[in-house]
Amino acid sequence: MVHNIEIKSHNMDRLMRLTGILPVLPTPFTETGVDLDAMRRIVRFALDAGVAGVVFPGFASEVEALTGEERQALLKVVATEVGDRVPIVAGASAPTVDEVVAYGRQALGLGITRLMIQPPKSIGAGAGAVTAFLAAAAAQLPEVEIILQNAPAPRGSDLAPEAVLEVVRRVAAVRYVKEETLPAGPAITAILANAPEHMLGVIGGGGARYILDEYDRGACAAMPALEIADLHAALDRSYRDGRGSEARALYVKSLPLLVLQAVYRMRLTKHVLGLRGVLDNPIVRAPTPDLDALAVRDIERCFQECGLGSVGADKWRRTK
């Protein structure tokens, strides 16, 4: 059975195809809650960096550590600051269809019509179960475009390309796939080679550590973390303009930092954003490895080699 969830034509007219760098925004915390003023700075930093869109909340946002009220307040800040300048993708992953629909309706209330949904592991990795879950959510959210997030195990369902394609074919509201399994490249090739007509593209994950391979295989966009969004945006522009050697040079510059980012995750993102004058503190809620003095030195050296400069680095170090 094909679940042809119709997307209203007026929405399709105003929605642009997702392309380019779409960073997942981090969540700034205080000792007692979330920092809405810092969230505004984060969004402005992303826009000034030249990103093609933003994503919130996602795994890199420490979404599992947010209350429902915090999540809603932060998304409202994102929507207000972005306005209609670039597309916004709202994370709507949850263990149940009802929760996904509730998050989707919050996003729609802010004018956001793209939802990224990671199927819950509790339903299994079969195409039938994932199809039923997404179709049930889409039936109650007819205005949205869904980005199916295919995350690797152990966090995600690790769907095979054949299962992804079956889900996309049967749920027409699924317009994109964020492919994060490893290796992502062959999966991207397989999905795009057999994609149904209504599917608009595959988006790369993996923190942009494999972005050139993903782009060479036809990925339309990438969703890295935020800390070097300006470098990633420049890389994307160079690639799309046919300046492959420039894109590769930027990619090579980014890799040492991104290798460390794969280990230290949000702590690295927030440390670098502190060096850049965006954040006032590096507080994280998600369980991540601590940064000792040698790790900090390595991170700062790799960031310096990206050629992006620092703002307020001395002040940041004094406040840590």
Side-chain angles (χ1 to χ4, degrees):
M1 177 179 180
V2 177
H3 302 269
N4 287 308
I5 308 301
E6 182 182 358
I7 300 173
K8 294 182 180 179
S9 59
H10 69 273
N11 283 332
M12 288 300 294
D13 289 341
R14 67 183 176 83
L15 290 180
M16 300 179 292
R17 183 170 178 262
L18 294 174
T19 60
I21 302 301
L22 314 170
V24 181
L25 304 180
T27 298
F29 295 108
T30 66
E31 294 290 350
T32 58
V34 294
D35 189 336
L36 299 184
D37 286 337
M39 193 73 208
R40 293 183 185 94
R41 294 198 300 273
I42 284 171
V43 177
R44 292 167 191 164
F45 172 83
L47 295 172
D48 289 345
V51 303
V54 297
V55 183
F56 186 85
F59 181 66
S61 314
E62 302 174 74
V63 61
E64 294 169 345
L66 295 174
T67 68
E69 292 78 10
E70 289 172 338
R71 184 170 173 161
Q72 187 172 10
L74 290 159
L75 186 59
K76 183 176 180 180
V77 169
V78 174
T80 301
E81 290 296 321
V82 171
D84 60 0
R85 285 177 283 186
V86 297
I88 301 171
V89 175
S93 302
T96 68
V97 170
D98 287 346
E99 290 172 281
V100 169
V101 171
Y103 289 137
R105 287 177 176 158
Q106 288 177 4
L108 285 170
L110 296 169
I112 302 168
T113 56
R114 293 184 177 91
L115 303 180
M116 185 163 66
I117 303 172
Q118 176 181 301
K121 286 193 68 177
S122 60
I123 67 173
V130 174
T131 295
F133 186 92
L134 293 179
Q140 299 180 66
L141 298 166
E143 294 118 327
V144 306
E145 291 186 333
I146 293 174
I147 296 97
L148 166 59
Q149 183 176 11
N150 186 26
R155 183 170 59 89
S157 300
D158 218 349
L159 300 172
E162 297 78 15
V164 169
L165 283 164
E166 184 175 344
V167 173
V168 176
R169 291 188 190 109
R170 295 174 64 186
V171 185
V174 178
R175 309 282 279 177
Y176 298 89
V177 173
K178 184 188 181 187
E179 182 54 62
E180 298 187 271
T181 59
L182 297 174
I188 291 171
T189 295
I191 292 167
L192 288 175
N194 298 282
E197 187 175 344
H198 71 267
M199 183 176 158
L200 297 179
V202 176
I203 298 167
R209 285 178 285 277
Y210 318 103
I211 187 171
L212 290 185
D213 179 55
E214 293 166 349
Y215 276 12
D216 284 346
R217 292 172 181 272
C220 62
M223 289 184 181
L226 180 66
E227 63 271 12
I228 55 171
D230 38 0
L231 186 154
H232 283 142
L235 184 159
D236 178 85
R237 288 192 300 272
S238 295
Y239 186 93
R240 294 176 192 280
D241 290 345
R243 292 178 277 118
S245 60
E246 291 181 23
R248 188 158 197 87
L250 290 167
Y251 176 63
V252 170
K253 279 187 176 183
S254 76
L255 281 179
L257 187 67
L258 295 183
V259 168
L260 293 174
Q261 202 271 345
V263 177
Y264 294 108
R265 310 295 299 191
M266 305 84 173
R267 287 193 193 276
L268 182 147
T269 293
K270 291 182 176 182
H271 184 80
V272 173
L273 288 175
L275 293 174
R276 307 197 72 180
V278 180
L279 290 184
D280 297 324
N281 70 67
I283 297 172
V284 299
R285 288 182 182 174
T288 53
D290 290 329
L291 301 179
D292 64 12
L294 289 176
V296 167
R297 186 177 72 180
D298 197 14
I299 289 166
E300 293 186 1
R301 180 182 298 159
C302 292
F303 171 63
Q304 184 179 23
E305 290 169 353
C306 288
L308 299 173
S310 305
V311 177
D314 291 338
K315 177 183 176 183
W316 172 249
R317 292 190 188 96
R318 288 197 298 271
T319 60
K320 284 178 59 61

